[in-house]
Amino acid sequence: MAAARRTLRWVAVAAAAVAAALALDNGLARTPPMGWLHWERFLCGTDCAAEPRRCVSEQLFVEMADRMAAEGWRDAGYEFICIDDCWMAPTRDKQGRLQADPARFPGGIRKLADYVHSKGLKLGIYSDVGTKTCAGFPGSYNHYDLDAQTFASWGVDLLKFDGCNSDSLEQLAEGYRLMSLALNKTGRSIVYSCEWPFYLRPVQKPNYTEIKQYCNHWRNFYDVYDSWSSIKSILDWTALHQDTIVKIAGPGGWNDPDMASTATCIPLEASAKKTFHQLLAENGKGENWGRNMEGKGSDGTLGSGSCLHKQYQLRTQLVIGNFGLSWDQSVTQMAMWAIMAAPLFMSNDLRHISPEAKWLLQNKEVIAINQDPLGKQGYQLFKDKNFQLWERPLSGRAYAVAVLNQQEIGGPQKFTFSLTFLGNGLACNPACSIRQLLPASRDCGVYSWISSLSVEVNPTGTVLLKVLPL
Ligand code: GLA
């Protein structure tokens, strides 16, 4: 019976693919998926003896799942907790199945999935279309069905499928298609995250209509880094290619500009055992530092639970942590990922996160824009030497509007723009009410179609607005 149902599903999927369905027909990712993914923050840490709290291990995911459930992340919409590369043992098991590294994941993935599910969350896992993953662990080439079945039997809910180590582009494309079909054949709902267009692009123009038939979201561009130059390059690339990629995004299939590394907290190791004033003296006299009091010892030193963060300042200098975005740049990333209808995967350490970063990442009104049910991706309307203006059509004839100040010198700059042209002349016609969501929320009032609006934007920062028709 189950086999017959699976066969039927497969026939249905194959038929749908042949019939050029608009989106992968698995009913998933109707809005951009949200969650946490280990890569940008934790990379390929495998030495748990030396770095027990930073290595890619069962413990890391259990601790993140605990935080996600207990500290408002799940309730804000971040439902997937995703394992990236480096979770595997170096070889497959005797039956040819992928297996987790037994020392780092002693309970195995099934047990971890059960734990994650018990917290009301979903588990994501990682594999690769080629013979090896990008970090050199076993890839899924020639094992697509077996690996899909293994993931389904473990209770996995999302697969990030990387594109390293294929012999040819044909093999890469075929692998992405076959894994999509293999996941569907399992009968389990598994969101399928691809990097297919990114690996094709240097040689071939991606066929997004086809990619959308197989994938729930797809990476187009390089990995995000924890730096302003990386965020800028992703935004520039997206604006440059918007004529091709914006129209393809929608419920079931999204352009993926990669993880949100937004975090402004610098965790202190227990060994630091320094007072706040010592740290100030060593790391940034005269700068505007703040701190989270959590973890402060009775002797006034800051222990491993402490969290030091620079507040509202513009220098991108790295001091003791590896966090490259200023407050304004973090605001820009959050605002622009909402405008771009981007899958919202954080890659940060939820055990050490500043109240400001948490406020930003859990901001209900901004998340509502990211998750807007109309599912239309936003686009750049205007750009000059100093400013970029973006808009995103929302349900209920509303629009999200972002003004980014790309100057990296000077102070806040005023940008004035006419409301007449927003939404092709419809957003504020005949009138609209405007609310600012970022960097702080406030009602801006009611405007008519022929009005202009002025906003003040910090260097590398963004003002995010919601325009509601009246
Ligand atoms: C590639 C991907 C990254 C990450 C690494 C893991 O670079 O683009 O997102 O998954 O591989 O090795």
Side-chain angles (χ1 to χ4, degrees), residues 37 39 44 84-86 126 133-136 160 162 164 195 198-199 219 221-223 258-259:
L37 177 62
W39 185 254
C44 194
D84 206 288
D85 207 346
C86 306
Y126 167 100
T133 72
C134 298
K160 171 172 171 177
D162 214 335
C164 282
E195 295 204 24
F198 171 58
Y199 286 91
R219 283 266 309 279
F221 193 61
Y222 294 107
D223 293 1
D258 211 1
M259 293 156 266

Side-chain angles (χ1 to χ4, degrees), residues 20-193:
L22 282 179
L24 171 58
D25 195 13
N26 62 3
L28 304 174
R30 305 308 294 170
T31 61
M34 293 174 64
W36 183 93
L37 177 62
H38 93 247
W39 185 254
E40 193 284 321
R41 179 67 183 82
F42 292 96
L43 297 169
C44 194
T46 52
D47 189 350
C48 292
E51 301 196 306
R53 284 173 68 76
R54 283 206 288 251
C55 65
V56 178
S57 68
E58 182 177 297
Q59 193 192 334
L60 180 73
F61 294 96
V62 163
E63 288 181 13
M64 290 306 157
D66 289 346
R67 297 289 170 142
M68 284 176 78
E71 290 172 12
W73 301 102
R74 179 194 62 205
D75 298 341
Y78 295 95
E79 71 173 328
F80 290 97
I81 174 152
C82 301
I83 309 173
D84 206 288
D85 207 346
C86 306
W87 60 272
M88 293 171 205
T91 54
R92 288 175 176 264
D93 72 7
K94 289 204 186 74
Q95 283 87 47
R97 290 172 308 197
L98 291 173
Q99 51 184 345
D101 182 283
R104 290 182 287 120
F105 291 84
I109 304 295
R110 169 86 240 185
K111 189 165 157 235
L112 180 58
D114 288 346
Y115 186 77
V116 162
H117 293 152
S118 78
K119 296 274 161 185
L121 296 161
K122 293 180 172 166
L123 186 72
I125 208 160
Y126 167 100
S127 185
D128 189 286
V129 71
T131 50
K132 281 184 168 26
T133 72
C134 298
F137 290 84
S140 289
Y141 179 65
N142 255 338
H143 297 87
Y144 301 123
D145 279 305
L146 177 62
D147 291 356
Q149 283 156 19
T150 306
F151 298 146
S153 75
W154 287 341
V156 160
D157 307 290
L158 179 149
L159 173 65
K160 171 172 171 177
F161 208 42
D162 214 335
C164 282
N165 302 309
S166 284
D167 280 349
S168 66
L169 292 183
E170 289 68 38
Q171 202 181 82
L172 175 109
E174 192 56 9
Y176 272 107
R177 289 185 205 105
L178 289 173
M179 186 49 111
S180 181
L181 298 174
L183 290 173
N184 271 281
K185 265 191 272 179
T186 67
R188 187 174 171 84
S189 291
I190 301 178
V191 171
Y192 186 38
S193 155

